[in-house]
Amino acid sequence: MNFALSQEMTMPGSARETAALLRRISRTPLSVMEVCGTHTVSIFRSGIRSLLPQTIRLVSGPGCPVCVTDQGEIDAAISLLEKGAVVVSYGDMFRVPCGRGSLSSKRAEGYDSRIASGAMDALAVALENPEREVVFLGVGFETTAPATAVLVEEAARRNVCNLSVLSFHKMTPPAVRILAQDPALLGLGGFLLPGHVSVILGHEPFAFLPRQFGLPAVIAGFEPDQILLGLAEIVRQHESGIPALSSVYGRAVRPEGNLKAKAALERVFEVRDASWRGIGVIPESGLSLGKKYRAFDAEVKFGITLSPGTPPPGCRCGEILTGRITPPECPLFRTKCTPASPVGPCMVSSEGTCGAYFRFFKGGRS
């Protein structure tokens, strides 16, 4: 692996200077997937596409945690509300629709769903309502899972018996592996990897991209200069024919990752298969509570069996999440599906590709 960039690429300069460098070194067509939804939104907001040469095509991936939450998992959360539980979750989850409504619409009907700014909010709700069952929806990738782990450990330490967790947490590297070997994405030439996930995991979990698939892979932050620098490094690898795993986010990402956070994940969770919207079941890509904490597992406590759900009719979120189509190619985009009246989660989430296209895409290169 090579974590060092050329001297030219590490020289300080503006985003436009980096874009000019990128145009100079890009000679052959290249499709790059930005895995993270935060990258997608930053690329649109900053107008990065307008700075890129025609040789480079950006493809949005499945890096929006709300978007990849399977329809069946959302159905399970709604069922807990209907059983009388208080359901606590992050704000983006509230408007994701399913056949029985959403957490938001259910609250309007009188059910008790509450928005959390952090996982520990669920503990406060449980302590304030000892007579009620409180369920926290653990949604997100390796970035939010440590906070859920801390919540579970604290609830166990304080013997808060009316709190449980419905864990929808998912792991990023297994999904990236699936996409790297997807025959429908054979034209994909490199990956721009999420900086915040790598802050937790470090470098090694993504090393399979150059080793096994011969694909350039670069860890980058979310500011425009970071994204452009990451793209420039991907292009350099592509043009040289020497793929590697590199990082342009060295000030935040250590090769070993965050050891304390990883230890918390290992103490609380165990790995299991998980269903991803648009991809299907990915082996060993989800996190459920380990045996030590089964008393806090909402699936066990309420007898829930998670099963894949049916997407809304006409919604093509799954194809968008896997880079097969762009949002304007979905017949519901800007017609039946808008931020005010979303059909699928890609339009709901602040990191969703459809929401980003709706707010920022005015035509031209997508």
Side-chain angles (χ1 to χ4, degrees):
M1 289 180 290
N2 172 27
F3 296 109
L5 303 184
S6 67
Q7 182 179 2
E8 182 179 20
M9 288 186 181
T10 56
M11 290 174 61
S14 69
R16 289 189 178 276
E17 289 172 337
T18 306
L21 166 64
L22 201 156
R23 288 193 293 271
R24 288 199 304 274
I25 64 176
S26 179
R27 300 179 181 88
T28 56
L30 174 65
S31 292
V32 177
M33 176 174 281
E34 82 272 1
V35 175
C36 181
T38 307
H39 275 148
T40 298
V41 173
S42 182
I43 286 167
F44 271 111
R45 184 181 288 120
S46 59
I48 281 178
R49 278 182 170 81
S50 66
L51 300 176
L52 298 178
Q54 292 293 322
T55 49
I56 298 177
R57 174 175 173 261
L58 298 181
V59 180
S60 299
C64 163
V66 171
C67 304
V68 300
T69 300
D70 188 76
Q71 201 71 29
E73 294 175 327
I74 298 168
D75 289 338
I78 297 295
S79 74
L80 290 178
L81 272 181
E82 294 173 343
K83 290 178 179 179
V86 181
V87 175
V88 181
S89 189
Y90 299 116
D92 275 359
M93 281 296 299
F94 263 63
R95 296 181 60 237
V96 177
C98 73
R100 296 149 70 180
S102 65
L103 293 176
S104 178
S105 68
K106 285 294 183 181
R107 182 166 62 179
E109 294 174 18
Y111 293 97
D112 198 346
S113 57
R114 307 189 190 190
I115 295 176
S117 59
M120 296 302 289
D121 288 356
L123 180 61
V125 173
L127 291 172
E128 292 166 2
N129 300 270
E131 76 291 350
R132 304 283 305 278
E133 287 290 342
V134 177
V135 180
F136 178 66
L137 302 189
V139 178
F141 302 118
E142 294 88 348
T143 47
T144 55
T148 303
V150 172
L151 167 66
V152 171
E153 289 186 315
E154 182 64 12
R157 186 184 72 81
R158 299 175 66 169
N159 195 30
V160 183
C161 298
N162 65 319
L163 175 67
S164 57
V165 171
L166 190 57
S167 177
F168 300 155
H169 287 297
K170 293 178 171 61
M171 300 167 66
T172 309
V176 173
R177 180 183 290 275
I178 290 292
L179 294 172
Q181 59 191 352
D182 189 336
L185 298 174
L186 283 179
L188 201 60
F191 282 87
L192 188 70
L193 298 171
H196 49 10
V197 167
S198 299
V199 167
I200 303 298
L201 295 183
H203 296 152
E204 185 62 27
F206 293 109
F208 65 87
L209 287 168
R211 286 176 181 168
Q212 297 181 26
F213 299 103
L215 291 171
V218 178
I219 299 164
F222 304 104
E223 295 301 320
D225 59 339
Q226 275 274 311
I227 294 171
L228 285 166
L229 194 60
L231 292 173
E233 171 61 2
I234 291 172
V235 169
R236 184 189 70 79
Q237 294 180 23
H238 172 71
E239 296 291 345
S240 70
I242 306 174
L245 173 63
S246 300
S247 174
V248 297
Y249 203 28
R251 68 179 184 269
V253 178
R254 298 179 178 179
E256 70 277 12
N258 186 319
L259 298 180
K260 289 184 177 181
K262 291 197 292 186
L265 295 180
E266 291 176 4
R267 289 194 304 269
V268 173
F269 292 108
E270 60 184 30
V271 176
R272 69 170 174 183
D273 300 346
S275 184
W276 295 58
R277 185 186 297 265
I279 300 177
V281 176
I282 302 179
E284 299 184 345
S285 66
L287 295 173
S288 62
L289 298 192
K291 293 180 181 179
K292 181 179 177 180
Y293 295 104
R294 286 288 160 80
F296 297 92
D297 189 333
E299 290 182 51
V300 175
K301 179 179 281 190
F302 292 93
I304 295 171
T305 300
L306 294 177
S307 57
T310 303
C315 176
R316 300 183 70 182
C317 268
E319 294 166 89
I320 291 165
L321 288 167
T322 52
R324 288 174 170 81
I325 67 170
T326 60
E329 295 175 79
C330 176
L332 304 184
F333 181 72
R334 288 190 185 276
T335 55
K336 292 184 178 180
C337 186
T338 68
S341 181
V343 175
C346 294
M347 185 64 81
V348 174
S349 174
S350 59
E351 297 181 354
T353 302
C354 292
Y357 266 79
F358 190 96
R359 295 194 302 275
F360 300 111
F361 181 63
K362 307 302 179 185
R365 291 181 64 187
S366 62

